Amino acid sequence: MEDLQASEESAFVQEDVALIIKEAVDAVLASASYQHNKVGQWTSNVIEGAIKRLKDLNKPFKYIVTSVIMQKNGAGLHMATSCYWDNTSDGSATLRWENKTMYCITTVFGLAI
């Protein structure tokens, strides 16, 4: 029983990570309208906010966070990721967020230590 509880405490829970991503994106972009000159700072703030919240989980993972902000102007964007890892311990979560002027796509990869 203790082994099951220990494995749950150290597991990558995709739903929890997606919520952390949403909180990080909302904190930075909730009331923003797309401005090209602010995108670099916004992406840095989203990534830093997500990393801080992930670190606070105190789980045995190394995290990789990527974020893309794109103006809504009718252009297409295609993204793909591929990882070679241990499906029993590693994981990823992606959130697609949007408002009237932009999209933000943020992905977290969690690699068990």
Side-chain angles (χ1 to χ4, degrees):
M1 184 69 173
E2 289 179 17
D3 288 342
L4 179 61
Q5 185 177 10
S7 67
E8 287 177 359
E9 289 175 2
S10 64
F12 185 93
V13 182
Q14 188 175 18
E15 294 80 14
D16 294 347
V17 175
L19 182 61
I20 287 172
I21 298 169
K22 183 173 180 351
E23 291 170 354
V25 173
D26 283 341
V28 175
L29 300 177
S31 61
S33 290
Y34 185 86
Q35 296 178 35
H36 176 73
N37 60 335
K38 293 188 177 183
V39 170
Q41 187 61 51
W42 286 339
T43 54
S44 293
N45 291 348
V46 166
I47 290 169
E48 289 170 11
I51 288 284
K52 181 183 183 313
R53 289 173 173 87
L54 291 163
K55 183 183 76 68
D56 291 344
L57 292 176
N58 291 318
K59 291 193 173 188
F61 286 93
K62 291 183 179 183
Y63 295 104
I64 302 163
V65 181
T66 65
S67 191
V68 174
I69 294 175
M70 181 176 156
Q71 182 178 16
K72 277 189 176 179
N73 62 5
L77 173 67
H78 300 275
M79 294 179 60
T81 60
S82 179
C83 299
Y84 181 74
W85 61 20
D86 184 349
N87 287 329
T88 61
S89 58
D90 304 332
S92 67
T94 299
L95 178 82
R96 179 179 171 262
W97 179 97
E98 66 181 283
N99 67 13
K100 291 182 178 182
T101 62
M102 65 183 134
Y103 297 103
C104 179
I105 302 166
T106 303
T107 300
V108 171
F109 300 95
L111 308 171
I113 297 174

